[in-house]
Amino acid sequence: MNDSAEPGLTARAEQTRSAIVEAALRLFRERGYDAATMRAIAGAAGVSTGNAYYYFSSKEDLIQEFYLRSHADHAAACRDLLDREDEFSARLRGTVRSLIDVLNPYHAFAAAFYKNAAEPTSPLSPFSKESSAAREASIALYREVMAGSSARIDRGLRAELPELLWLYSLGVVLFWVYDTSPDRVRTYRLIDATVPLVDRLISLARMPVLRGTVRELVALIHELRN
Amino acid sequence: MNDSAEPGLTARAEQTRSAIVEAALRLFRERGYDAATMRAIAGAAGVSTGNAYYYFSSKEDLIQEFYLRSHADHAAACRDLLDREDEFSARLRGTVRSLIDVLNPYHAFAAAFYKNAAEPTSPLSPFSKESSAAREASIALYREVMAGSSARIDRGLRAELPELLWLYSLGVVLFWVYDTSPDRVRTYRLIDATVPLVDRLISLARMPVLRGTVRELVALIHELRN
DNA sequence: GCCCAGACTTGAACGTGTTCAGGTTATGAG
DNA sequence: CTCATAACCTGAACACGTTCAAGTCTGGGC
């Protein structure tokens, strides 16, 4: 049983679907998003153009597949660290660094499609309903980063921190998209420099000076979520 | 002397250019970005499709015009407040609220084009070279918000705060893009709730507990800017 | 007045993502 | 085995953004 199989598809259809995904991701990686035309993808998969639209309602839809695989790779890449390490900084740093490791081969491609992700009505937006499964999975990873650590965290903050850390990782990815340095070293430097800041802010959140502000921030998050 | 005139264009050509811009912004507002086709824009302006490309190298290029007008409108909308008020919170709150006021008629349209803005290689990106003039102008506005206020601000932070406030406004705009509440009331609520937090954080930045973190943050900004 | 260089304008044509009317194939009921 | 139904598949066609070879107009030098 192939657990990536979709319901309602015969074995042969599933094979066709996979061929299209493989062709798409390969061409995205090799040629970039724009140059990987639907005709080229369909051709490389050995099907007609129209048939690709039988399985994927749009070119953007193919990117959801990229999301899913990226997250799976990321979760796998973190596994060892999250099982072994218990210091918060090291857990967060390793998790975010491995996210960048996983995304790096797709840098040119990702730059092109993150523009679609910013469109709020697009199903590709990280905030959209269609992406909620992928988003929840990512947030769960940061919940594990927090929960498995020895750090003492403000009680009111605990419920919101995973989502805030996920937002932090989105910020890092945004920086990475714009990063033109060799091997994206500046992104890794950004991570190494900001993780201690995050760590310190979380510690400070328990102190009297900041506790009030943190409480307001949490209340704000609640209100805006409705 | 029309100060919006471009160099190297005859009066008649300038008139054609203006007609295209007017038609574009009107159709963007009335139909949205996608439905306002280049053929429709050119037709509404009374010129051929190809002629529109003589003045604007792409459809995205027409959006730069939107940027320019928006900023001019925003600066004008803030003028009174910035000349009158001297309390930091009120200045920041009023400035960001008036930004949303200015953008509101274009909400549906803006949602569609902000996706292009997120593409780092796109000239529309707020971080791109092509947008640097508009960006500098916006940052200058927040420099004025800071400089004209009576707030005491950490010496090391002063140089970076205008850019940080601009980033804050980008965050508000991002929220606004996703805001589906009637009249975007949630965006205004977000502003009213976050401005005091920003104000408090700026105050706290001068206190010993946070001063070190702020210094590191400023150093990080410097390093990442190169 | 004449003419030409260059500013301006045109519309057909290209390649793209996407659609669709219509074909082909597999499956299960009789 | 028959055949109807649904799943699967096709490629021509559509509208779009964009390009370009070819036209028209205009100002200024003679």
Side-chain angles (χ1 to χ4, degrees):
Chain A
M1 296 290 154
N2 180 355
D3 62 350
S4 74
E6 302 285 314
L9 291 183
T10 67
R12 194 166 68 82
E14 177 56 33
Q15 209 172 328
T16 306
R17 204 193 114 96
S18 286
I20 295 169
V21 173
E22 298 299 332
L25 293 190
R26 184 168 60 79
L27 291 180
F28 284 158
R29 220 183 317 115
E30 292 175 2
R31 305 187 193 175
Y33 183 73
D34 286 343
T37 69
M38 287 301 278
R39 286 166 181 78
I41 291 168
V47 301
S48 70
T49 318
N51 196 15
Y53 282 88
Y54 181 77
Y55 292 97
F56 301 93
S57 65
S58 69
K59 191 176 179 182
E60 294 191 353
D61 211 31
L62 278 166
I63 294 180
Q64 289 284 4
E65 220 63 30
F66 170 77
Y67 270 121
L68 292 172
R69 300 202 178 193
S70 294
H71 174 69
D73 291 352
H74 181 209
C78 297
R79 197 63 272 142
D80 273 3
L81 173 82
L82 293 181
D83 286 344
R84 223 193 311 272
E85 179 65 56
D86 76 335
E87 200 216 347
F88 178 80
S89 277
R91 291 171 71 84
L92 180 61
R93 178 173 175 276
T95 300
V96 180
R97 284 182 73 105
S98 70
L99 172 60
I100 299 302
D101 291 343
V102 164
L103 293 180
N104 257 339
Y106 292 92
H107 187 265
F109 156 51
F113 89 71
Y114 262 87
K115 81 170 180 187
N116 304 31
E119 154 80 24
T121 63
S122 158
L124 289 180
S125 162
F127 305 106
S128 78
K129 246 181 192 135
E130 287 81 354
S131 298
S132 69
R135 180 177 66 246
E136 290 304 330
S138 292
I139 293 174
L141 201 59
Y142 292 100
R143 186 170 293 114
E144 197 183 342
V145 167
M146 174 187 81
S149 86
S150 53
R152 297 217 214 116
I153 294 160
D154 182 86
R155 186 176 292 270
L157 190 59
R158 287 195 88 88
E160 313 306 330
L161 190 56
E163 189 156 358
L164 290 173
L165 293 175
W166 171 74
L167 279 173
Y168 162 70
S169 79
L170 274 190
V172 171
V173 170
L174 180 65
F175 184 90
W176 168 80
V177 165
Y178 284 87
D179 187 358
T180 57
S181 64
D183 293 331
R184 324 295 153 199
V185 290
R186 297 181 71 206
T187 298
Y188 289 103
R189 244 187 286 152
L190 174 73
I191 296 169
D192 294 347
T194 50
V195 162
L197 286 177
V198 170
D199 190 37
R200 174 127 32 111
L201 278 177
I202 291 172
S203 301
L204 288 174
R206 297 191 308 136
M207 296 186 59
V209 264
L210 273 186
R211 201 147 28 168
T213 304
V214 167
R215 210 167 305 177
E216 280 173 41
L217 188 67
V218 168
L220 177 67
I221 293 171
H222 277 136
E223 191 209 330
L224 292 177
R225 230 206 298 272
N226 269 359
Chain B
M1 299 284 166
N2 181 354
D3 62 350
S4 75
E6 301 285 314
L9 291 184
T10 67
R12 195 164 68 79
E14 175 56 33
Q15 211 173 326
T16 306
R17 204 192 114 96
S18 285
I20 295 169
V21 173
E22 299 299 332
L25 292 190
R26 183 168 61 80
L27 290 180
F28 283 157
R29 221 182 318 115
E30 291 175 3
R31 305 187 192 176
Y33 183 74
D34 285 343
T37 69
M38 286 302 276
R39 285 167 180 78
I41 291 169
V47 300
S48 70
T49 317
N51 195 206
Y53 282 89
Y54 181 77
Y55 292 97
F56 301 94
S57 65
S58 69
K59 191 176 180 182
E60 294 191 354
D61 211 32
L62 277 166
I63 294 181
Q64 287 287 2
E65 219 64 30
F66 170 76
Y67 269 122
L68 291 172
R69 302 200 177 194
S70 295
H71 174 70
D73 290 352
H74 181 210
C78 296
R79 195 66 271 142
D80 273 4
L81 173 82
L82 294 180
D83 285 344
R84 222 194 312 272
E85 179 65 54
D86 76 334
E87 200 216 347
F88 178 80
S89 276
R91 291 171 70 83
L92 180 61
R93 179 173 175 277
T95 300
V96 179
R97 283 181 76 105
S98 69
L99 172 61
I100 298 302
D101 292 342
V102 165
L103 293 180
N104 257 339
Y106 291 92
H107 187 265
F109 156 51
F113 90 72
Y114 261 89
K115 81 171 181 187
N116 304 32
E119 153 80 24
T121 64
S122 158
L124 289 181
S125 162
F127 305 107
S128 78
K129 245 177 195 139
E130 287 81 354
S131 298
S132 68
R135 181 177 63 245
E136 291 303 330
S138 292
I139 293 175
L141 201 59
Y142 292 100
R143 186 170 294 114
E144 197 183 341
V145 167
M146 174 186 81
S149 86
S150 53
R152 296 217 213 115
I153 294 159
D154 181 86
R155 186 176 292 272
L157 190 59
R158 289 195 86 87
E160 313 305 330
L161 189 56
E163 189 158 357
L164 290 173
L165 293 176
W166 172 73
L167 278 173
Y168 162 70
S169 78
L170 275 190
V172 171
V173 170
L174 180 66
F175 185 89
W176 170 79
V177 166
Y178 284 87
D179 186 358
T180 57
S181 65
D183 293 329
R184 323 296 154 199
V185 290
R186 297 181 71 206
T187 298
Y188 290 103
R189 244 187 286 152
L190 175 73
I191 295 169
D192 293 348
T194 50
V195 161
L197 286 177
V198 171
D199 192 37
R200 174 128 31 111
L201 277 176
I202 291 172
S203 301
L204 288 174
R206 298 190 307 137
M207 297 186 59
V209 263
L210 273 187
R211 201 148 30 169
T213 303
V214 168
R215 210 166 304 176
E216 280 172 42
L217 189 66
V218 168
L220 177 66
I221 293 171
H222 278 137
E223 191 209 329
L224 293 177
R225 229 207 298 273
N226 265 2

